[in-house]
Amino acid sequence: MLTKRIIPCLDVRWGGADGKTSMVVKGINFRSIHEVGNPVKMARQYYEQGADELVFLDIDATNDRRRAMIKVISEVAKQIFIPFTVGGGIRTLDDIDAFLRAGADKISINSAAVNNPSLIKIAAERYGSQCIVIAIDAKRKIHLSKNAPTSCTDSSRTYASKLGAKLTLDSSISWTVSINGGNKDTGIDVLGWARKAQRLGAGELLVTSMDKDGTSTGYDLELLKLLTKEVSVPVIASGGAGSVDDIAQAFITGNADAALAASIFHLENMTVWDVKNELIRKRICINQ
Amino acid sequence: MKKVKIAVIDCGGNTGSIVNALEFIGADASLILPTDRKALKWCDKIILPGQGRFGEVMRKLEPIRSTLLEEVRCGKPFLGICVGYQILFDKSEESPGIKGLGLIKGSVVRFRKPAKLPHIGWNLLRSKRGMSDTKSHDVNKVCIKGTKYNESGKDTSSKDTNIKEIDNCELRIFQRAYVYFVHSYYPVIQDEPNLKEQTNVQITWTTYGDEFASAIKIGNICGTQFHPEKSGEIGLSIIKNWIRCRK
């Protein structure tokens, strides 16, 4: 039986005291970012703890218009022998080629795929769909009923996510695609974009809830539930994992194929083993 | 023991992964172009890592096709991974009309039953057909021969370059291990009952909707549908085991 996958995620950018050291960072709702450690060390550590895959995202790359850290990536690739996905700032086939040569197995594409969907098709044709992960940053749009306080519509994301948990599934919730590290809301419907990405050749979808990211309040289960019905490629849940129960819910309620998490491993002092053992106790099929 | 020279045929894609794994376990591996007949003759063992389509890989292999077949038929150990495993067969539904190497009789087909494709993730190897996948936990550690685990579960013998040569590497000892798959097609062996009668044949089975042969070893020819270079410490053990066996 195919197991559910646990995927630690390293968001990496240049930082440290000199500003020239690659650092794993963690933010909340794509903002208020702080540094948590060395990417190569952390990658090896998660590998030894039994991670099923690893994702490495250069979170500065898109905005700064520079390629992610090829050298750091190849150092990581020499240390871990599990599938390794790299993303951040990918625009062209040359970028993809460079990352694959550095030792990445899969390439995560976000903004460039939205700006130029044919890139998905060309890349999938050249490298195979298994290599192309389309990352989608999803932002909840809540069309509040007349009873809700209007002042809370957009200004407070936490309010929205709290409220979202109580909302039932109806046409009043939708999600739109954000790009450029969450800076630009394209207004494109997430479910429609997911279908299109699959049709063009995406092998997997990595879906991050911007509202939940870094809040440790659980994944956006409604989004996952709808999305996994909408597409037939594997869906990786991302954004919001704060406990093992959150991960279990992403599998059970959200029907996700894999769960990406950062805070739970970076900050909560839990090892991948701990998380997996608890999930096995919850009778979820996991590669121990 | 003399270090075995391993040629890894570069047909594009992420050859980095297999090279990294080989370097990590201390093997003497070099990437060769699919035009380099000399290197194929020179090396002790050949690996064809897989990424891409059946037809595409066969097209790239065309310049060395006859040399490769000759070397493998003369007994040089060959390991094909993923599509490198599939091209050992006669043909594939992925690329109709294109001939494979035909070293194993059979054809490659697309998954019939599963709703979700590709088959991506960790799945179980079994030594027999039709066996249940349950009660699988806690077994992968004990079934690995020749590897030592410390408390963290890490293989401590990874860098051991003094590995003893063994006569025949056994795939079967990896039964009930989880390994990493990424594929939408799998090979169907022609005349499987007959093949299994032969003493030098080993097959492992995996189920994802359909049950398929996830790895085969027939004498010096070895193929894995999964990616041993991406299957953690168990995968590294499989590669190490393959390197140290005589055939």
Side-chain angles (χ1 to χ4, degrees), chain A residues 15-45:
Chain A
D18 55 357
K20 288 175 185 166
T21 317
S22 62
M23 294 295 289
V24 174
V25 296
K26 186 61 215 159
I28 296 171
N29 296 124
F30 283 46
R31 296 288 174 275
S32 55
I33 290 161
H34 59 270
E35 297 176 349
V36 287
N38 172 293
V40 182
K41 269 190 201 154
M42 288 178 77
R44 179 67 199 178
Q45 193 183 327

PDB file of all heavy atoms in Angstrom, chain A residues 15-45:
ATOM      1  N   GLY A  15      21.133  35.188   4.712  1.00  0.00           N
ATOM      2  CA  GLY A  15      20.971  35.941   5.955  1.00  0.00           C
ATOM      3  C   GLY A  15      22.187  35.786   6.831  1.00  0.00           C
ATOM      4  O   GLY A  15      23.310  35.843   6.340  1.00  0.00           O
ATOM      5  N   GLY A  16      21.984  35.561   8.120  1.00  0.00           N
ATOM      6  CA  GLY A  16      23.083  35.461   9.065  1.00  0.00           C
ATOM      7  C   GLY A  16      23.618  36.835   9.397  1.00  0.00           C
ATOM      8  O   GLY A  16      23.094  37.855   8.934  1.00  0.00           O
ATOM      9  N   ALA A  17      24.690  36.882  10.198  1.00  0.00           N
ATOM     10  CA  ALA A  17      25.247  38.147  10.652  1.00  0.00           C
ATOM     11  C   ALA A  17      25.808  38.950   9.476  1.00  0.00           C
ATOM     12  O   ALA A  17      25.678  40.170   9.410  1.00  0.00           O
ATOM     13  CB  ALA A  17      26.345  37.877  11.682  1.00  0.00           C
ATOM     14  N   ASP A  18      26.403  38.227   8.517  1.00  0.00           N
ATOM     15  CA  ASP A  18      27.019  38.911   7.380  1.00  0.00           C
ATOM     16  C   ASP A  18      26.048  39.075   6.201  1.00  0.00           C
ATOM     17  O   ASP A  18      26.373  39.724   5.217  1.00  0.00           O
ATOM     18  CB  ASP A  18      28.267  38.147   6.922  1.00  0.00           C
ATOM     19  CG  ASP A  18      27.946  36.691   6.605  1.00  0.00           C
ATOM     20  OD1 ASP A  18      26.789  36.279   6.788  1.00  0.00           O
ATOM     21  OD2 ASP A  18      28.865  35.970   6.166  1.00  0.00           O
ATOM     22  N   GLY A  19      24.878  38.469   6.319  1.00  0.00           N
ATOM     23  CA  GLY A  19      23.917  38.546   5.215  1.00  0.00           C
ATOM     24  C   GLY A  19      24.307  37.678   4.042  1.00  0.00           C
ATOM     25  O   GLY A  19      23.693  37.724   2.995  1.00  0.00           O
ATOM     26  N   LYS A  20      25.363  36.876   4.208  1.00  0.00           N
ATOM     27  CA  LYS A  20      25.853  36.064   3.096  1.00  0.00           C
ATOM     28  C   LYS A  20      25.807  34.568   3.393  1.00  0.00           C
ATOM     29  O   LYS A  20      26.424  33.770   2.706  1.00  0.00           O
ATOM     30  CB  LYS A  20      27.294  36.469   2.760  1.00  0.00           C
ATOM     31  CG  LYS A  20      27.383  37.835   2.086  1.00  0.00           C
ATOM     32  CD  LYS A  20      28.829  38.240   1.885  1.00  0.00           C
ATOM     33  CE  LYS A  20      28.911  39.657   1.332  1.00  0.00           C
ATOM     34  NZ  LYS A  20      30.273  40.192   1.429  1.00  0.00           N
ATOM     35  N   THR A  21      25.140  34.227   4.502  1.00  0.00           N
ATOM     36  CA  THR A  21      25.038  32.822   4.875  1.00  0.00           C
ATOM     37  C   THR A  21      23.636  32.340   4.520  1.00  0.00           C
ATOM     38  O   THR A  21      22.667  33.047   4.774  1.00  0.00           O
ATOM     39  CB  THR A  21      25.240  32.671   6.401  1.00  0.00           C
ATOM     40  OG1 THR A  21      26.333  33.505   6.771  1.00  0.00           O
ATOM     41  CG2 THR A  21      25.524  31.243   6.776  1.00  0.00           C
ATOM     42  N   SER A  22      23.574  31.133   3.948  1.00  0.00           N
ATOM     43  CA  SER A  22      22.244  30.620   3.648  1.00  0.00           C
ATOM     44  C   SER A  22      21.592  30.164   4.949  1.00  0.00           C
ATOM     45  O   SER A  22      22.220  29.491   5.759  1.00  0.00           O
ATOM     46  CB  SER A  22      22.326  29.464   2.652  1.00  0.00           C
ATOM     47  OG  SER A  22      23.065  28.407   3.193  1.00  0.00           O
ATOM     48  N   MET A  23      20.372  30.573   5.156  1.00  0.00           N
ATOM     49  CA  MET A  23      19.681  30.275   6.402  1.00  0.00           C
ATOM     50  C   MET A  23      18.286  29.734   6.140  1.00  0.00           C
ATOM     51  O   MET A  23      17.589  30.202   5.247  1.00  0.00           O
ATOM     52  CB  MET A  23      19.529  31.559   7.246  1.00  0.00           C
ATOM     53  CG  MET A  23      20.820  32.165   7.750  1.00  0.00           C
ATOM     54  SD  MET A  23      21.708  31.128   8.914  1.00  0.00           S
ATOM     55  CE  MET A  23      20.667  31.233  10.350  1.00  0.00           C
ATOM     56  N   VAL A  24      17.897  28.759   6.962  1.00  0.00           N
ATOM     57  CA  VAL A  24      16.509  28.317   6.927  1.00  0.00           C
ATOM     58  C   VAL A  24      15.716  29.320   7.760  1.00  0.00           C
ATOM     59  O   VAL A  24      16.141  29.694   8.849  1.00  0.00           O
ATOM     60  CB  VAL A  24      16.348  26.906   7.529  1.00  0.00           C
ATOM     61  CG1 VAL A  24      14.877  26.516   7.617  1.00  0.00           C
ATOM     62  CG2 VAL A  24      17.129  25.895   6.716  1.00  0.00           C
ATOM     63  N   VAL A  25      14.591  29.774   7.214  1.00  0.00           N
ATOM     64  CA  VAL A  25      13.804  30.762   7.944  1.00  0.00           C
ATOM     65  C   VAL A  25      12.356  30.286   8.074  1.00  0.00           C
ATOM     66  O   VAL A  25      11.926  29.365   7.394  1.00  0.00           O
ATOM     67  CB  VAL A  25      13.816  32.139   7.253  1.00  0.00           C
ATOM     68  CG1 VAL A  25      15.219  32.714   7.231  1.00  0.00           C
ATOM     69  CG2 VAL A  25      13.260  32.038   5.838  1.00  0.00           C
ATOM     70  N   LYS A  26      11.652  30.922   8.970  1.00  0.00           N
ATOM     71  CA  LYS A  26      10.246  30.572   9.154  1.00  0.00           C
ATOM     72  C   LYS A  26       9.448  31.847   9.319  1.00  0.00           C
ATOM     73  O   LYS A  26       9.816  32.708  10.111  1.00  0.00           O
ATOM     74  CB  LYS A  26      10.125  29.673  10.394  1.00  0.00           C
ATOM     75  CG  LYS A  26       8.744  29.119  10.630  1.00  0.00           C
ATOM     76  CD  LYS A  26       8.278  28.256   9.480  1.00  0.00           C
ATOM     77  CE  LYS A  26       6.778  28.417   9.259  1.00  0.00           C
ATOM     78  NZ  LYS A  26       6.346  28.038   7.930  1.00  0.00           N
ATOM     79  N   GLY A  27       8.392  31.970   8.605  1.00  0.00           N
ATOM     80  CA  GLY A  27       7.562  33.172   8.715  1.00  0.00           C
ATOM     81  C   GLY A  27       6.147  32.834   9.131  1.00  0.00           C
ATOM     82  O   GLY A  27       5.784  31.669   9.243  1.00  0.00           O
ATOM     83  N   ILE A  28       5.365  33.844   9.371  1.00  0.00           N
ATOM     84  CA  ILE A  28       3.949  33.648   9.676  1.00  0.00           C
ATOM     85  C   ILE A  28       3.134  34.392   8.626  1.00  0.00           C
ATOM     86  O   ILE A  28       3.390  35.578   8.384  1.00  0.00           O
ATOM     87  CB  ILE A  28       3.604  34.143  11.098  1.00  0.00           C
ATOM     88  CG1 ILE A  28       4.366  33.292  12.122  1.00  0.00           C
ATOM     89  CG2 ILE A  28       2.097  34.062  11.347  1.00  0.00           C
ATOM     90  CD1 ILE A  28       4.280  33.798  13.534  1.00  0.00           C
ATOM     91  N   ASN A  29       2.198  33.700   8.010  1.00  0.00           N
ATOM     92  CA  ASN A  29       1.408  34.276   6.913  1.00  0.00           C
ATOM     93  C   ASN A  29       2.291  34.933   5.864  1.00  0.00           C
ATOM     94  O   ASN A  29       1.979  35.996   5.350  1.00  0.00           O
ATOM     95  CB  ASN A  29       0.402  35.311   7.440  1.00  0.00           C
ATOM     96  CG  ASN A  29      -0.627  34.696   8.353  1.00  0.00           C
ATOM     97  OD1 ASN A  29      -0.785  35.128   9.482  1.00  0.00           O
ATOM     98  ND2 ASN A  29      -1.303  33.669   7.888  1.00  0.00           N
ATOM     99  N   PHE A  30       3.411  34.299   5.583  1.00  0.00           N
ATOM    100  CA  PHE A  30       4.373  34.796   4.594  1.00  0.00           C
ATOM    101  C   PHE A  30       5.079  36.073   5.053  1.00  0.00           C
ATOM    102  O   PHE A  30       5.720  36.744   4.286  1.00  0.00           O
ATOM    103  CB  PHE A  30       3.696  35.049   3.225  1.00  0.00           C
ATOM    104  CG  PHE A  30       3.435  33.778   2.462  1.00  0.00           C
ATOM    105  CD1 PHE A  30       2.877  32.679   3.073  1.00  0.00           C
ATOM    106  CD2 PHE A  30       3.759  33.693   1.113  1.00  0.00           C
ATOM    107  CE1 PHE A  30       2.626  31.513   2.368  1.00  0.00           C
ATOM    108  CE2 PHE A  30       3.508  32.533   0.393  1.00  0.00           C
ATOM    109  CZ  PHE A  30       2.946  31.438   1.029  1.00  0.00           C
ATOM    110  N   ARG A  31       4.951  36.450   6.332  1.00  0.00           N
ATOM    111  CA  ARG A  31       5.591  37.664   6.842  1.00  0.00           C
ATOM    112  C   ARG A  31       6.303  37.352   8.153  1.00  0.00           C
ATOM    113  O   ARG A  31       6.411  36.210   8.539  1.00  0.00           O
ATOM    114  CB  ARG A  31       4.539  38.757   7.076  1.00  0.00           C
ATOM    115  CG  ARG A  31       3.826  39.227   5.812  1.00  0.00           C
ATOM    116  CD  ARG A  31       4.747  40.077   4.934  1.00  0.00           C
ATOM    117  NE  ARG A  31       4.119  40.415   3.659  1.00  0.00           N
ATOM    118  CZ  ARG A  31       4.139  39.631   2.574  1.00  0.00           C
ATOM    119  NH1 ARG A  31       4.736  38.463   2.612  1.00  0.00           N
ATOM    120  NH2 ARG A  31       3.553  40.008   1.453  1.00  0.00           N
ATOM    121  N   SER A  32       6.770  38.381   8.850  1.00  0.00           N
ATOM    122  CA  SER A  32       7.510  38.287  10.118  1.00  0.00           C
ATOM    123  C   SER A  32       8.407  37.051  10.174  1.00  0.00           C
ATOM    124  O   SER A  32       8.170  36.086  10.886  1.00  0.00           O
ATOM    125  CB  SER A  32       6.572  38.332  11.325  1.00  0.00           C
ATOM    126  OG  SER A  32       5.582  37.330  11.239  1.00  0.00           O
ATOM    127  N   ILE A  33       9.468  37.140   9.363  1.00  0.00           N
ATOM    128  CA  ILE A  33      10.344  35.996   9.148  1.00  0.00           C
ATOM    129  C   ILE A  33      11.534  36.018  10.119  1.00  0.00           C
ATOM    130  O   ILE A  33      12.128  37.063  10.350  1.00  0.00           O
ATOM    131  CB  ILE A  33      10.840  36.040   7.684  1.00  0.00           C
ATOM    132  CG1 ILE A  33       9.654  35.724   6.761  1.00  0.00           C
ATOM    133  CG2 ILE A  33      11.974  35.063   7.449  1.00  0.00           C
ATOM    134  CD1 ILE A  33       9.852  36.163   5.343  1.00  0.00           C
ATOM    135  N   HIS A  34      11.860  34.851  10.694  1.00  0.00           N
ATOM    136  CA  HIS A  34      13.091  34.780  11.480  1.00  0.00           C
ATOM    137  C   HIS A  34      13.907  33.536  11.123  1.00  0.00           C
ATOM    138  O   HIS A  34      13.385  32.579  10.579  1.00  0.00           O
ATOM    139  CB  HIS A  34      12.797  34.855  12.976  1.00  0.00           C
ATOM    140  CG  HIS A  34      11.905  33.748  13.445  1.00  0.00           C
ATOM    141  ND1 HIS A  34      10.538  33.863  13.454  1.00  0.00           N
ATOM    142  CD2 HIS A  34      12.200  32.507  13.899  1.00  0.00           C
ATOM    143  CE1 HIS A  34      10.014  32.730  13.899  1.00  0.00           C
ATOM    144  NE2 HIS A  34      10.992  31.888  14.171  1.00  0.00           N
ATOM    145  N   GLU A  35      15.206  33.607  11.462  1.00  0.00           N
ATOM    146  CA  GLU A  35      16.128  32.553  11.044  1.00  0.00           C
ATOM    147  C   GLU A  35      16.124  31.374  12.019  1.00  0.00           C
ATOM    148  O   GLU A  35      16.068  31.569  13.223  1.00  0.00           O
ATOM    149  CB  GLU A  35      17.540  33.134  10.936  1.00  0.00           C
ATOM    150  CG  GLU A  35      17.604  34.211   9.858  1.00  0.00           C
ATOM    151  CD  GLU A  35      18.965  34.879   9.772  1.00  0.00           C
ATOM    152  OE1 GLU A  35      19.803  34.666  10.667  1.00  0.00           O
ATOM    153  OE2 GLU A  35      19.174  35.611   8.788  1.00  0.00           O
ATOM    154  N   VAL A  36      16.186  30.149  11.484  1.00  0.00           N
ATOM    155  CA  VAL A  36      16.189  28.994  12.391  1.00  0.00           C
ATOM    156  C   VAL A  36      17.376  28.049  12.235  1.00  0.00           C
ATOM    157  O   VAL A  36      17.616  27.231  13.115  1.00  0.00           O
ATOM    158  CB  VAL A  36      14.880  28.162  12.311  1.00  0.00           C
ATOM    159  CG1 VAL A  36      13.736  28.884  12.958  1.00  0.00           C
ATOM    160  CG2 VAL A  36      14.538  27.782  10.902  1.00  0.00           C
ATOM    161  N   GLY A  37      18.151  28.128  11.167  1.00  0.00           N
ATOM    162  CA  GLY A  37      19.315  27.241  11.114  1.00  0.00           C
ATOM    163  C   GLY A  37      19.948  27.064   9.750  1.00  0.00           C
ATOM    164  O   GLY A  37      19.520  27.652   8.762  1.00  0.00           O
ATOM    165  N   ASN A  38      20.983  26.202   9.732  1.00  0.00           N
ATOM    166  CA  ASN A  38      21.747  25.922   8.525  1.00  0.00           C
ATOM    167  C   ASN A  38      21.036  24.870   7.668  1.00  0.00           C
ATOM    168  O   ASN A  38      20.714  23.789   8.149  1.00  0.00           O
ATOM    169  CB  ASN A  38      23.136  25.420   8.969  1.00  0.00           C
ATOM    170  CG  ASN A  38      23.965  24.905   7.810  1.00  0.00           C
ATOM    171  OD1 ASN A  38      23.642  23.885   7.199  1.00  0.00           O
ATOM    172  ND2 ASN A  38      25.015  25.616   7.513  1.00  0.00           N
ATOM    173  N   PRO A  39      20.796  25.173   6.393  1.00  0.00           N
ATOM    174  CA  PRO A  39      19.996  24.265   5.560  1.00  0.00           C
ATOM    175  C   PRO A  39      20.608  22.881   5.351  1.00  0.00           C
ATOM    176  O   PRO A  39      19.870  21.886   5.364  1.00  0.00           O
ATOM    177  CB  PRO A  39      19.867  25.008   4.228  1.00  0.00           C
ATOM    178  CG  PRO A  39      20.856  26.104   4.262  1.00  0.00           C
ATOM    179  CD  PRO A  39      21.138  26.421   5.689  1.00  0.00           C
ATOM    180  N   VAL A  40      21.923  22.812   5.171  1.00  0.00           N
ATOM    181  CA  VAL A  40      22.532  21.509   4.903  1.00  0.00           C
ATOM    182  C   VAL A  40      22.437  20.614   6.138  1.00  0.00           C
ATOM    183  O   VAL A  40      22.048  19.444   6.058  1.00  0.00           O
ATOM    184  CB  VAL A  40      24.015  21.658   4.462  1.00  0.00           C
ATOM    185  CG1 VAL A  40      24.629  20.309   4.149  1.00  0.00           C
ATOM    186  CG2 VAL A  40      24.101  22.577   3.244  1.00  0.00           C
ATOM    187  N   LYS A  41      22.733  21.196   7.302  1.00  0.00           N
ATOM    188  CA  LYS A  41      22.646  20.436   8.553  1.00  0.00           C
ATOM    189  C   LYS A  41      21.220  19.979   8.819  1.00  0.00           C
ATOM    190  O   LYS A  41      20.976  18.838   9.196  1.00  0.00           O
ATOM    191  CB  LYS A  41      23.090  21.321   9.732  1.00  0.00           C
ATOM    192  CG  LYS A  41      24.562  21.214  10.041  1.00  0.00           C
ATOM    193  CD  LYS A  41      24.848  21.908  11.359  1.00  0.00           C
ATOM    194  CE  LYS A  41      26.325  22.260  11.442  1.00  0.00           C
ATOM    195  NZ  LYS A  41      26.566  23.397  12.329  1.00  0.00           N
ATOM    196  N   MET A  42      20.287  20.900   8.618  1.00  0.00           N
ATOM    197  CA  MET A  42      18.892  20.565   8.910  1.00  0.00           C
ATOM    198  C   MET A  42      18.365  19.501   7.951  1.00  0.00           C
ATOM    199  O   MET A  42      17.635  18.603   8.356  1.00  0.00           O
ATOM    200  CB  MET A  42      18.017  21.818   8.859  1.00  0.00           C
ATOM    201  CG  MET A  42      18.269  22.730  10.047  1.00  0.00           C
ATOM    202  SD  MET A  42      17.291  24.249   9.971  1.00  0.00           S
ATOM    203  CE  MET A  42      15.689  23.655  10.476  1.00  0.00           C
ATOM    204  N   ALA A  43      18.773  19.588   6.690  1.00  0.00           N
ATOM    205  CA  ALA A  43      18.337  18.602   5.695  1.00  0.00           C
ATOM    206  C   ALA A  43      18.814  17.206   6.084  1.00  0.00           C
ATOM    207  O   ALA A  43      18.046  16.241   6.085  1.00  0.00           O
ATOM    208  CB  ALA A  43      18.862  18.983   4.316  1.00  0.00           C
ATOM    209  N   ARG A  44      20.090  17.107   6.451  1.00  0.00           N
ATOM    210  CA  ARG A  44      20.663  15.813   6.828  1.00  0.00           C
ATOM    211  C   ARG A  44      19.947  15.261   8.077  1.00  0.00           C
ATOM    212  O   ARG A  44      19.654  14.081   8.174  1.00  0.00           O
ATOM    213  CB  ARG A  44      22.166  15.977   7.072  1.00  0.00           C
ATOM    214  CG  ARG A  44      22.894  14.714   7.509  1.00  0.00           C
ATOM    215  CD  ARG A  44      22.957  13.647   6.430  1.00  0.00           C
ATOM    216  NE  ARG A  44      23.244  12.333   7.022  1.00  0.00           N
ATOM    217  CZ  ARG A  44      23.322  11.206   6.343  1.00  0.00           C
ATOM    218  NH1 ARG A  44      23.137  11.191   5.047  1.00  0.00           N
ATOM    219  NH2 ARG A  44      23.571  10.069   6.944  1.00  0.00           N
ATOM    220  N   GLN A  45      19.693  16.165   8.999  1.00  0.00           N
ATOM    221  CA  GLN A  45      19.020  15.779  10.245  1.00  0.00           C
ATOM    222  C   GLN A  45      17.622  15.200   9.959  1.00  0.00           C
ATOM    223  O   GLN A  45      17.268  14.141  10.474  1.00  0.00           O
ATOM    224  CB  GLN A  45      18.902  17.037  11.097  1.00  0.00           C
ATOM    225  CG  GLN A  45      18.512  16.823  12.527  1.00  0.00           C
ATOM    226  CD  GLN A  45      18.356  18.181  13.211  1.00  0.00           C
ATOM    227  OE1 GLN A  45      19.057  19.152  12.890  1.00  0.00           O
ATOM    228  NE2 GLN A  45      17.425  18.266  14.132  1.00  0.00           N
TER     229      GLN A  45
END
